[in-house]
Amino acid sequence: MNPFSQNRRGERHLEQILTISAILAVSFTAGASAQENVVPPKIVMPLEDAFRGKFLIGTALSDRALEGRDPLSESLARTHFDAFTPENSMKPEALQRVKGQFTFANADALVKMAEETGATPIGHTLVWHSQTPAWFTHDDAGRLLSRREALQNMRNHIAAVVGRYKGRVKQWDVVNEAVSDSGEAILRDSPWRQAIGDDYIAEAFRAAHKADPDAILTYNDYSNESGPKRNKTLRLLKSLLAQGIPINAVGMQCHWLLRAPLLQEADEAIRLYSALGLKVIISEFDISVLPLGNMGADIAATEAPTPTSNPYTAGLPQDVSQKLADCYGQAFAMFLRHKKDVARVTLWGVHDGTSWRNDFTVRGRTDYPLLFDRQGQPKAAFFAVQKVAQNAR
Ligand code: G3I
């Protein structure tokens, strides 16, 4: 079965929705004669049902949600999403902070929750320059390890992690954010590249494929919708494919800014990446409504607060909420136009209160980047997305 395919729990949900719709239709018809202009409540359809048969609709789950300390997020995830990505709990520092000592509790919880609800668990991420303990690439004195030692550390990590979830986690972000953000160099000069060499990416994909030959293997990055980084990513992917490296998909994180949404750029990027024969995954979608902030997601990029950098602490003005809804609607309409090539769209967080954007690039702000508000209520953006999904063929 194609691991990108939909799960099977949709039929039950759909019957429930149709029943609710029928009840509402009858009640309003009966009631409308007595109360003209009755505004029907907005029907909240589980997002996974709205997108069934088009692409998976996923979310990122925090450690708090996976440890049972965020029941609101867990409930929304179980109801609306059919793909679960661990926001942090499958990263190298979470799984193997100390060499040889693995901590799988939260990763296991995500896979269990996914299997309970018929959702697809996503492995994020095996090889990254961030949230990765130094021992993978450096000795205790801080010196680079030899290529052989660093390569062995990477291969052992991938074999242990992918092997543990073989046949259960069928999609992996194998390498995350390896392309440089600036300059002529294609690759970021990460500790992995310094210790192993440029071919660390190819070796990571080979190791993941060896550990689970049936898994869908993804290269994931931010800001690869446009400009030099898109061109560099295309060159990297073409090179990997030409070497016969087992890579199946490219992740476009799509951490957007409401003031500069990359709609046209992403539209073209999906066309270019899929033309390579790769599936495209919108892997970490969110849209920040706040000023400052940069187009990327390099967690090292921080900015000092200014008197105007946190304007919506008392709530989101209606006009901004509507602009966000319009942007989400346009984005999902575009994703749906590419539904044969887009395998999944994952929102990077369940509701606004859980979003990393509240602390990036300025810590301690109040952002509104997702589809549900801090009380777990669907926002105008949710209904814009739901409407686009229902109207799509
Ligand atoms: O676990 C510690 C906790 O023990 C400590 O008390 C606390 C103090 O600040 O920090 C906790 O670690 C935080 C970690 O998230 C877990 O919550 C780190 O400080 C914080 O930097 C880290 O942020 C994560 C970020 O990746 C790190 O790079 C965000 O939650 C996560 O949303 C973000 O996700 C990345 C993707 O993996 C890759 N693409 C970009 C995206 C945004 O940066």
Side-chain angles (χ1 to χ4, degrees), residues 38-152:
V38 169
V39 176
K42 291 179 183 251
I43 294 178
V44 176
M45 183 180 191
L47 287 169
E48 63 156 312
D49 293 331
F51 286 97
R52 183 164 314 293
K54 300 174 177 83
F55 42 64
L56 292 175
I57 182 80
T59 190
L61 290 171
S62 68
D63 290 333
R64 289 186 67 246
L66 295 171
E67 292 162 3
R69 295 185 288 124
D70 183 355
L72 174 60
S73 291
E74 180 178 346
S75 170
L76 287 168
R78 286 174 180 269
T79 301
H80 285 281
F81 299 101
D82 55 8
F84 295 160
T85 301
E87 186 173 13
N88 290 294
S89 52
M90 282 192 186
K91 292 171 177 175
E93 77 171 8
L95 291 182
Q96 197 182 179
R97 186 178 293 271
V98 176
K99 185 172 183 176
Q101 295 178 24
F102 289 90
T103 310
F104 287 116
N106 286 359
D108 288 351
L110 179 128
V111 176
K112 178 173 180 286
M113 191 190 299
E115 291 173 338
E116 283 170 353
T117 60
T120 298
I122 308 298
H124 174 81
T125 180
L126 297 170
V127 175
W128 191 20
H129 64 278
S130 182
Q131 294 182 276
T132 298
W135 66 261
F136 277 93
T137 54
H138 290 74
D139 66 18
D140 293 343
R143 293 178 299 245
L144 269 183
L145 296 177
S146 68
R147 169 184 163 86
R148 184 187 56 77
E149 288 173 296
L151 201 46
Q152 198 57 59

Side-chain angles (χ1 to χ4, degrees), residues 63 87-88 91 93 97 124 128 130-131 176-177 220 222 253 255 284 297 299 348 356 363:
D63 290 333
E87 186 173 13
N88 290 294
K91 292 171 177 175
E93 77 171 8
R97 186 178 293 271
H124 174 81
W128 191 20
S130 182
Q131 294 182 276
N176 191 46
E177 302 173 12
N220 189 51
Y222 62 84
Q253 293 178 14
H255 290 297
E284 305 182 13
I299 198 69
W348 201 246
W356 73 291
R363 295 191 75 81

